[in-house]
Amino acid sequence: MLQKSCILVISVLSCFWPLGTAMLNLTLPGTHPDPEAVAHEVHRKVNASIGRREMLAALERDESSCLTGNPIDDCWKCDPDWPNNRQRLADCAIGFGQYAKGGKGGEFYLVTDSSDDDVVNPKPGTLRYAVIQNEPLWIVFPSNMMIRLSQELIFNSYKTLDGRGADVHIVGGGCITLQYISNVIIHNIHIHHCHPSGNTNIRSSPEHYGYRTESDGDGISIFGSKDLWIDHCTLSRCKDGLIDAVMGSTGITISNNFFSHHNEVMLLGHSDDYLPDSGMQVTIAFNHFGQKLVQRMPRCRRGYIHVVNNDFTQWEMYAIGGSGEPTINSQGNRYTAPTNPFAKEVTKRVDTEQSRWKAWNWRSEGDVLVNGAFFIASGEGLEVKYEKAYSVEPKSADRIALLTMSAGVLGVARDNNLGMWSRGPGDDVSESGPDYTDDMSFAPKMKGSSFYFQLLFCFFSCTTIPLTAIL
């Protein structure tokens, strides 16, 4: 253990010495003291949203057409002027990541340049230039864009990626790294075909750049960070995990995403004996785990993981796995098992004898198990442990189709009001195609932003846009 701690300290000091205050996040004191209460609140909000929808539908009111019963979407999409009230999104998160404010209150920043040619001195107008800034920023995309990263994209705190109204794809080296930071929202972005990169200098703030060793090739890598929300993204075909959260990360909500075409989907926790991960708290809600997924939806080490109202339509090995005594609270999900008779079990205790895992708190409540799927629960005193979470009954999984019908990036093959940023002409950025190969991340870049959209955004926005964003 001492050796591992020394390696961690040395690597952190060598790469991010100027971020001394941020490194104090390693133990992340933001862990919620009552995780069952947070789970209870998620169900209360779902029930309230579905109740409003049913009431308005019964009254045949026009307002019901925007309501889905999904509390996140109903929070902002029912505002007909949402394109001009974009930062309202920051108030719509649920679960453990509900305190992620992203760039709320900050200026809007337009990504006008899809290139990523200089990772030490990024150009104004690029995405990399925006995410390393110290101040809060609400980052938007005035046109369809393929951003081909040359190295991992290292974020600073208080940033929102808001891809609503455009097809925004992030591919290539890295891809997204959230390390020793807080308050980040990533919304409505395609993330795919990410591969390892590194062994070079990369800038992480206006004041600092440092040498980075080779990355794993995750879609989103979360390391010692908190208050994060990943919503309505479409993730597939990366070299390692689609979303990995390790080293004491906590306060995370992963919602309304569409996952497909991947082996090890999601890892939560660094190792079985890494104690800070005991405070990890993650909400996984309203996601669609789709075709050609193999395992880790998620794979958990330690922590408290609330898996609620998701649709699991395919896995090849298992859906939810874990080791190191994590708490798994599975409520109101639909698990559809594969045809393979040896892969019907939803759960997998990884490399652990039954004599040890039988005391772990793994609970299934209100889940629908389809095509022979079965969930092996465990733990003593479960009724007491989850009493608060169950005081509001999870919505039946027959509502899953309603709650997850818009999972993934909005506006693609769906009836979505894109407001003033309606889909315009642009290169095809479809995700269809074969499974991951290293050379797929080097597809041709899309054309730059439309000047028309820039002017239109400036006209409607009531918040000042940095001049550097449009130079």
Side-chain angles (χ1 to χ4, degrees):
M1 188 65 184
L2 180 59
Q3 183 181 14
K4 291 182 179 179
S5 300
C6 291
I7 292 173
L8 173 63
V9 171
I10 292 171
S11 62
V12 170
L13 291 178
S14 64
C15 296
F16 289 95
W17 174 249
L19 303 180
T21 56
M23 288 193 298
L24 296 177
N25 281 342
L26 181 59
T27 55
L28 295 176
T31 298
H32 198 284
D34 190 354
E36 284 82 16
V38 177
H40 174 274
E41 181 67 8
V42 169
H43 292 304
R44 188 194 67 78
K45 290 183 177 180
V46 172
N47 293 345
S49 290
I50 289 180
R52 283 194 300 269
R53 182 180 189 276
E54 292 176 343
M55 179 187 68
L56 291 175
L59 295 173
E60 296 182 350
R61 296 267 299 275
D62 290 340
E63 290 89 343
S64 64
S65 61
C66 79
L67 295 173
T68 65
N70 183 313
I72 294 172
D73 291 351
D74 292 350
C75 176
W76 64 269
K77 287 184 70 177
C78 288
D79 177 4
D81 197 33
W82 70 257
N84 297 320
N85 298 313
R86 287 178 171 271
Q87 295 193 13
R88 164 67 176 157
L89 178 69
D91 301 322
C92 297
I94 63 172
F96 293 114
Q98 64 184 293
Y99 303 111
K101 294 307 178 185
K104 183 179 181 181
E107 296 181 328
F108 284 96
Y109 177 103
L110 271 70
V111 179
T112 59
D113 186 341
S114 64
S115 69
D116 189 44
D117 301 327
D118 192 336
V119 300
V120 175
N121 296 297
K123 293 185 294 184
T126 62
L127 177 58
R128 187 175 297 274
Y129 183 91
V131 300
I132 66 170
Q133 301 305 310
N134 293 324
E135 67 271 18
L137 288 177
W138 199 275
I139 302 166
V140 293
F141 304 83
S143 72
N144 297 346
M145 191 170 292
M146 173 76 82
I147 298 175
R148 188 184 63 204
L149 299 174
S150 58
Q151 299 291 337
E152 59 184 321
L153 187 68
I154 303 176
F155 275 56
N156 210 333
S157 296
Y158 294 97
K159 302 293 179 291
T160 295
L161 290 193
D162 182 357
R164 287 175 293 178
D167 282 344
V168 180
H169 290 241
I170 295 177
V171 302
C175 287
I176 291 175
T177 295
L178 311 177
Q179 180 166 322
Y180 298 123
I181 61 170
S182 66
N183 288 283
V184 169
I185 299 172
I186 301 174
H187 182 85
N188 214 63
I189 305 290
H190 295 267
I191 302 168
H192 54 100
H193 295 107
C194 303
H195 62 77
S197 62
N199 296 320
T200 189
N201 288 321
I202 303 176
R203 185 168 293 279
S204 58
S205 72
E207 300 82 19
H208 176 260
Y209 68 87
Y211 187 80
R212 299 286 293 181
T213 57
E214 185 174 81
S215 64
D216 292 332
D218 296 329
I220 301 176
S221 176
I222 303 170
F223 191 102
S225 297
K226 65 177 182 177
D227 296 332
L228 312 172
W229 182 27
I230 302 165
D231 186 59
H232 273 300
C233 292
T234 297
L235 301 101
S236 66
R237 300 180 175 96
C238 292
K239 194 66 173 181
D240 194 37
L242 294 181
I243 300 175
D244 282 5
V246 299
M247 305 302 287
S249 298
T250 194
I252 301 168
T253 292
I254 299 169
S255 58
N256 293 309
N257 301 291
F258 190 96
F259 301 94
S260 69
H261 299 88
H262 199 76
N263 177 10
E264 298 177 336
V265 178
M266 192 184 308
L267 174 65
L268 304 177
H270 174 65
S271 66
D272 293 355
D273 57 359
Y274 187 71
L275 295 180
D277 280 335
S278 299
M280 177 177 287
Q281 297 174 332
V282 181
T283 300
I284 301 173
F286 318 136
N287 301 285
H288 187 152
F289 294 90
Q291 64 269 35
K292 294 189 177 181
L293 296 179
V294 179
Q295 59 182 315
R296 296 190 176 185
M297 297 171 246
R299 190 257 200 254
C300 314
R301 298 182 176 115
R302 298 186 172 273
Y304 182 107
I305 314 302
H306 188 202
V307 184
V308 56
N309 293 141
N310 301 277
D311 197 4
F312 295 80
T313 58
Q314 188 172 342
W315 66 82
E316 295 183 16
M317 292 178 60
Y318 65 88
I320 297 177
S323 59
E325 200 175 355
T327 294
I328 307 294
N329 185 356
S330 174
Q331 298 183 296
N333 301 283
R334 180 166 59 193
Y335 296 104
T336 304
T339 56
N340 180 357
F342 303 104
K344 299 292 187 180
E345 184 179 348
V346 173
T347 52
K348 178 179 177 63
R349 277 76 171 180
V350 181
D351 298 330
T352 308
E353 296 294 330
Q354 183 177 0
S355 60
R356 294 179 56 197
W357 63 251
K358 67 181 182 180
W360 298 356
N361 288 317
W362 289 31
R363 177 66 180 239
S364 171
E365 175 76 10
D367 293 328
V368 169
L369 302 168
V370 182
N371 197 31
F374 63 98
F375 187 113
I376 297 181
S378 61
E380 298 178 0
L382 285 173
E383 295 301 328
V384 176
K385 175 99 177 148
Y386 290 98
E387 181 179 358
K388 291 183 180 179
Y390 296 156
S391 60
V392 176
E393 182 180 356
K395 281 297 177 183
S396 171
D398 63 7
R399 305 288 181 87
I400 290 297
L402 179 67
L403 294 172
T404 63
M405 67 180 181
S406 296
V409 168
L410 296 163
V412 179
R414 295 188 178 97
D415 182 15
N416 178 51
N417 171 24
L418 297 178
M420 61 186 178
W421 285 357
S422 60
R423 287 168 56 86
D427 296 342
D428 182 12
V429 289
S430 171
E431 284 200 272
S432 61
D435 291 340
Y436 178 90
T437 57
D438 286 344
D439 60 344
M440 293 189 73
S441 57
F442 295 94
K445 301 175 188 175
M446 293 186 59
K447 295 179 180 179
S449 302
S450 162
F451 184 62
Y452 167 76
F453 281 118
Q454 295 177 33
L455 291 178
L456 192 58
F457 182 87
C458 292
F459 177 78
F460 282 105
S461 176
C462 60
T463 307
T464 303
I465 302 172
L467 181 62
T468 55
I470 54 176
L471 290 177

